[in-house]
């Protein structure tokens, strides 16, 4: 798959949600990752049935793979015409054309000026936190939330900052809101939801609420991607 997709490009940026882990727009990376998951899911459909396929498709689409359903439909064509397309590379142009389709408006759009300013304020807050200036960090995260009130990343960061002076109730409230607003749709939103669940679990355990902590760890595991670095740690924490 990777050699086929490595030269794919478009004049516009890869949609938000198709960025790589460093936040750089990458059409080849977007195409490669989508195709790997789409093929894997079609194999699951063959082995486990279409009902399971639909459930897995919905789960992956929510985690930031907006082209998966269309790719799945194209792969069904490939499966039905193996006599004509002896190898996947012969069918590849049909798959690549999926990425020319427009995405739903408002889901993978360019950030607004307020979002851009919020990003800058969050970056300052993270820098303040790393240097031990917790009050300044909190001010910057608060300012970021004035620009983007539902910014789940700022809320997650605020929770971490509140834990430093022992403001556990405020930290819990911040984690609650981070989870609420981290609606699945991009890999980054998924990562934030996992981190918020994990952080809240740690705090709940410290507060003597192990049952709730375990529930949060399971939620984090369910939301994490199969190949994510944190998945192994979550599985370890959930082990009896």
């Amino acid at each position: 798959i990777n050699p086929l997709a490595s030269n794919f490009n478009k004049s516009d940026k890869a949609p938000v949600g198709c960025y790589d882990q460093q936040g750089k727009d990458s059409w080849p990376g977007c195409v490669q990752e989508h195709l790997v998951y789409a093929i894997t899911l079609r194999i699951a459909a063959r082995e486990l049935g279409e009902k399971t396929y639909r459930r897995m498709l919905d789960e992956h689409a929510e985690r930031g793979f907006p082209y998966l359903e269309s790719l799945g439909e194209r792969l069904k064509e490939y499966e039905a015409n193996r006599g004509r397309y002896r190898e996947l590379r012969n069918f590849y142009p049909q798959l690549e054309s999926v990425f020319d389709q427009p995405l739903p408006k408002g889901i993978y759009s360019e950030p607004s000026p307020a979002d851009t300013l919020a990003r800058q304020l969050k970056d300052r807050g993270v820098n303040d936190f790393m240097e031990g200036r917790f009050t300044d960090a909190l001010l910057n995260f608060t300012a970021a939330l004035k620009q983007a009130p539902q910014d789940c990343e700022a809320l997650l960061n605020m929770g971490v900052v509140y834990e430093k002076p022992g403001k556990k109730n405020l930290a819990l409230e911040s984690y609650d809101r981070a989870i609420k607003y981290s609606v699945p749709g991009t890999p980054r939103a998924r990562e934030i939801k996992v981190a918020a669940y994990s952080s809240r679990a740690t705090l709940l355990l410290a507060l003597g609420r192990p049952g709730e902590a375990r529930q949060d760890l399971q939620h984090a595991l369910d939301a994490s991607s199969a190949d994510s670095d944190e998945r192994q740690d979550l599985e370890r924490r959930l082990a009896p």
Side-chain angles (χ1 to χ4, degrees):
I1 292 298
N2 288 2
L4 292 172
S6 61
N7 293 323
F8 181 85
N9 209 343
K10 292 174 66 174
S11 58
D12 55 338
K13 290 184 178 181
V16 176
C18 289
Y19 290 171
D20 62 22
Q21 294 299 313
Q22 285 71 45
K24 299 177 181 178
D25 51 333
S26 170
W27 271 113
C30 175
V31 174
Q32 290 166 9
E33 194 167 11
H34 271 80
L35 289 176
V36 167
Y37 278 116
I39 292 168
T40 300
L41 291 180
R42 287 311 304 161
I43 293 173
R46 185 178 63 199
E47 299 295 329
L48 303 174
E50 287 292 324
K51 184 176 181 179
T52 299
Y53 166 72
R54 289 301 314 179
R55 177 179 59 78
M56 296 175 68
L57 179 65
D58 291 342
E59 290 174 355
H60 281 75
E62 287 181 351
R63 294 175 179 177
F65 298 95
Y67 296 100
L68 270 186
E69 184 167 6
S70 295
L71 285 171
E73 293 303 310
R74 294 290 174 88
L75 285 170
K76 288 180 184 178
E77 296 177 26
Y78 172 68
E79 294 165 7
N81 294 278
R82 291 302 303 277
R84 180 180 179 186
Y85 302 103
R86 296 182 61 85
E87 297 181 1
L88 184 62
R89 64 180 178 177
N90 303 129
F91 188 74
Y92 175 73
Q94 311 286 350
L95 297 173
E96 191 175 270
S97 65
V98 167
F99 296 90
D100 292 324
Q101 298 175 3
L103 289 169
K105 292 182 179 181
I107 299 180
Y108 299 96
S109 57
E110 287 292 314
S112 67
D115 290 333
T116 300
L117 178 55
R119 174 76 268 172
Q120 294 171 349
L121 291 165
K122 286 186 295 182
D123 288 344
R124 293 176 195 168
V126 170
N127 185 61
D128 288 332
F129 179 83
M130 295 299 293
E131 295 186 6
R133 299 191 297 269
F134 303 131
T135 300
D136 291 339
L138 191 59
L139 289 173
N140 275 309
F141 293 139
T142 301
L145 286 168
K146 288 182 179 178
Q147 298 297 320
Q150 297 183 6
D151 191 307
C152 53
E153 186 176 21
L155 289 163
L156 171 62
N157 291 337
M158 284 185 72
V160 175
V161 175
Y162 276 134
E163 283 201 66
K164 284 298 179 180
K167 297 180 179 180
K168 296 178 181 180
N169 289 335
L170 290 174
L172 277 178
E173 181 181 336
S174 294
Y175 293 144
D176 290 346
R177 293 174 63 202
I179 291 166
K180 177 181 178 180
Y181 293 128
S182 56
V183 179
T186 68
R188 182 57 181 156
R190 180 182 66 231
E191 291 170 3
I192 292 169
K193 181 178 284 289
V194 170
Y197 271 127
S198 179
S199 296
R200 192 172 72 176
T202 300
L203 182 53
L204 287 169
L205 191 60
L207 291 171
R209 296 156 66 179
E212 294 172 76
R214 188 171 183 81
Q215 288 179 357
D216 271 1
L217 289 174
Q218 186 61 58
H219 287 316
L221 184 64
D222 293 341
S224 66
S225 58
D227 56 353
S228 62
D229 293 336
E230 70 270 8
R231 190 172 183 85
Q232 186 174 358
D233 178 62
L234 290 168
E235 290 173 341
R236 178 187 58 79
R237 293 172 67 185
L238 275 167

